[in-house]
Amino acid sequence: MIFNHQPGKSERGQAEPSLRTLAELRPAGIAQQPGGASAMDAPEARWDASRAQYERLAMEAALSTLLAVLLYAALKVSVDGFRRWRAKVSVLVVGAGPVGLTAALVAVRSGKVLKLTLLDERSRAALLCRPQQIALEPRSVRFLLGLEVDFDNMEGCWDKERFFTKIGVFQEHLLSILERHKRRLEVCVLLGTKFSDDFLKKNLASDWPKIIIIADGSCGESSTILGISPDYIVESCNAYGANPVIERPDQRQVPTPEIRAHSLYFDLSAYGMDITAMGKESSKPGFHLKIYGTFRNRYLALACPASDSKIIMKNIFHQSFNAYKMDIEPRVNELTLHHIQCSHRIFEIMLSHRRVTAALIEGEDSVVTVEGEAARVLNFDTGCGVNLGLRGLESMEELIYKVATAVDQNDIFEALAAKIRHSKQVAEDFKQNGLFATMFE
């Protein structure tokens, strides 16, 4: 038999109270959550949700801020770059010698010149007919090649990577390059015009150039007119020397390579000197000779690291020239000895350089820099003097760029400080190594 058992009332009555008892045991206010989670977990869940939302908002804010900063930086860089690209200044160069003309070409190459004015009291004819010879060292040749100087189309000669030419020829070539730039730049060449107080009043009273480059030589007065201190520092190069000149009007003005001879000894017994004793005292015994210049204007440089300044030099120069001259040159004899112009004693070789080589003119907000022999000059002609002036121009382009793009006066002072440091370094380098490179090696 099959029985279908159904609980009676008594059994249901016992089961139902059991279920109610479990419900009643649950604390009030805590409801059963779906999935079995209690209401006690709700605040923590809400906190997690709030924290996630906060982190999301913070991340969005950070990204927005970063994006804004990047956009600002990019905009500022673009604006600064555009301002620097557009920034241009007017430049005045006083002196149209080799250094002044080179400085003008450096200014053009900087790309920061709005107007360039070149000034010299000498006429064009006086500049271009200068017969003296200059020697350009390899470092100067590389510097000038960057300024579009074409040595292949210039009268002169090469020897051991040095280029020899006449000053007038060199200046004519640089002027031609400068005049070619008139097509894209305002270039004003004022030859036969002296830089003076009257010139300042008539031409610069209302419009001073931002940069003034003084390159008017050791006898120029332009820096004094502008109020630059005339004080010089005079330092010994730890050597002695003398410079004779042989003028021969019957010879041509043809550039020639220099001739060097080293460790020369002369019989100085007639002057009461013991050359062997002098040689022991000197770290580089003997004299160093250089013959240079054109055939018509022949120059000699005789130097030694240490010597007695009482030596009479004319016979020494006479013997030196005849021994080392070119074969095609005539000898100096008793009849032509009077053509030698020289000092009768050797002298200590000294380098003079300005205490102040760059300054800011108050009231006019113009930067002044002094270059070439107006800044530093040697009392001894090595035949390579122009190279010392060109060394100072190696920092000129940087000065022009910094002044043109300066935001405030502090930027200008930093540019001036850098230029002054470089100028001092040029003088120090020559004092230490200049004579060795130009005479002793």
Side-chain angles (χ1 to χ4, degrees):
M1 295 180 65
I2 298 174
F3 293 92
N4 293 326
H5 176 71
Q6 295 181 356
K9 291 182 179 180
S10 60
E11 291 178 343
R12 289 182 180 178
Q14 291 176 356
E16 289 175 359
S18 176
L19 293 173
R20 284 196 300 269
T21 301
L22 291 174
E24 290 171 359
L25 290 175
R26 192 182 307 278
I30 299 180
Q32 180 74 24
Q33 298 297 324
S38 78
M40 293 179 65
D41 298 331
E44 184 177 353
R46 287 196 298 272
W47 167 251
D48 291 341
S50 299
R51 183 172 61 183
Q53 184 178 7
Y54 174 78
E55 290 176 351
R56 185 173 61 257
L57 292 174
M59 182 63 69
E60 292 176 355
L63 291 175
S64 299
T65 303
L66 178 61
L67 181 60
V69 169
L70 291 175
L71 288 174
Y72 172 78
L75 181 62
K76 188 175 186 304
V77 169
S78 299
V79 171
D80 288 347
F82 182 74
R83 180 185 63 80
R84 291 175 183 273
W85 176 71
R86 290 275 297 173
K88 295 182 183 295
V89 294
S90 57
V91 176
L92 170 64
V93 180
V94 181
V99 175
L101 287 167
T102 304
L105 293 180
V106 171
V108 170
R109 186 178 65 176
S110 72
K112 295 299 176 186
V113 175
L114 179 65
K115 177 183 179 181
L116 176 66
T117 303
L118 178 67
L119 188 72
D120 198 295
E121 63 179 308
R122 293 166 292 186
S123 66
R124 187 184 185 95
L127 286 172
L128 303 188
C129 71
R130 296 177 68 186
Q132 295 87 352
Q133 178 173 300
I134 57 174
L136 298 170
E137 298 172 349
R139 180 171 172 177
S140 298
V141 169
R142 291 191 296 270
F143 181 69
L144 292 167
L145 285 173
L147 300 175
E148 302 179 15
V149 174
D150 185 3
F151 291 99
D152 293 335
N153 290 319
M154 190 189 312
E155 179 189 354
C157 61
W158 292 93
D159 182 61
K160 298 177 181 178
E161 298 183 344
R162 295 181 176 89
F163 187 76
F164 302 88
T165 186
K166 293 185 291 186
I167 294 181
V169 171
F170 184 67
Q171 292 177 154
E172 183 178 19
H173 186 77
L174 296 189
L175 271 172
S176 66
I177 297 174
L178 191 61
E179 289 170 346
R180 287 204 302 266
H181 288 290
K182 288 183 177 180
R183 303 169 187 170
R184 62 179 184 86
L185 181 68
E186 185 178 355
V187 178
C188 182
V189 179
L190 302 176
L191 301 181
T193 305
K194 185 176 181 179
F195 185 80
S196 61
D197 290 324
D198 291 338
F199 176 83
L200 292 177
K201 293 175 183 177
K202 293 179 181 179
N203 299 275
L204 305 182
S206 59
D207 186 21
W208 274 70
K210 187 66 176 179
I211 300 175
I212 302 176
I213 302 171
I214 303 297
D216 57 353
S218 58
C219 299
E221 300 177 351
S222 304
S223 56
T224 303
I225 293 173
L226 293 173
I228 304 296
S229 171
D231 294 341
Y232 279 82
I233 299 173
V234 182
E235 298 181 285
S236 172
C237 294
N238 300 314
Y240 294 82
N243 289 117
V245 180
I246 303 176
E247 300 286 351
R248 298 180 295 192
D250 58 323
Q251 299 294 316
R252 295 191 304 161
Q253 295 281 17
V254 179
T256 59
E258 62 188 21
I259 302 170
R260 295 193 189 192
H262 305 286
S263 300
L264 305 181
Y265 293 92
F266 303 97
D267 182 6
L268 304 178
S269 58
Y271 309 117
M273 293 193 62
D274 183 1
I275 189 63
T276 58
M278 185 187 73
K280 293 178 182 179
E281 295 174 0
S282 173
S283 60
K284 293 182 182 353
F287 286 89
H288 301 263
L289 172 70
K290 179 189 284 189
I291 302 175
Y292 56 96
T294 63
F295 284 139
R296 179 177 297 181
N297 303 108
R298 216 66 170 123
Y299 298 87
L300 283 78
L302 195 66
C304 57
S307 187
D308 190 318
S309 62
K310 296 181 180 180
I311 302 175
I312 299 177
M313 302 299 297
K314 197 160 192 175
N315 288 336
I316 293 177
F317 288 132
H318 173 197
Q319 298 170 20
S320 300
F321 179 78
N322 285 340
Y324 293 99
K325 69 177 183 62
M326 288 186 173
D327 293 337
I328 61 175
E329 292 185 88
R331 294 172 60 85
V332 173
N333 53 42
E334 294 297 330
L335 297 177
T336 58
L337 190 61
H338 65 279
H339 290 162
I340 300 180
Q341 304 172 18
C342 67
S343 61
H344 292 286
R345 303 175 187 273
I346 63 174
F347 49 83
E348 187 174 9
I349 300 175
M350 310 289 285
L351 176 66
S352 302
H353 54 98
R354 282 185 178 270
R355 291 185 182 275
V356 178
T357 55
L360 178 67
I361 300 179
E362 294 183 0
E364 305 299 342
D365 198 28
S366 293
V367 169
V368 180
T369 176
V370 187
E371 303 295 336
E373 290 190 350
R376 61 197 74 85
V377 62
L378 198 67
N379 67 340
F380 176 78
D381 188 4
T382 64
C384 302
V386 67
N387 298 280
L388 182 59
L390 296 181
R391 294 292 177 276
L393 298 181
E394 291 176 353
S395 60
M396 180 61 67
E397 189 170 353
E398 181 182 3
L399 173 71
I400 295 174
Y401 181 85
K402 288 183 176 180
V403 171
T405 59
V407 176
D408 53 32
Q409 206 169 63
N410 289 332
D411 292 340
I412 293 179
F413 287 145
E414 289 179 5
L416 286 172
K419 189 70 178 74
I420 292 171
R421 285 195 300 270
H422 179 256
S423 182
K424 290 181 177 179
Q425 189 62 49
V426 169
E428 185 64 24
D429 289 346
F430 185 86
K431 190 180 70 171
Q432 298 295 330
N433 306 307
L435 284 179
F436 179 81
T438 58
M439 288 295 302
F440 297 157
E441 71 173 359

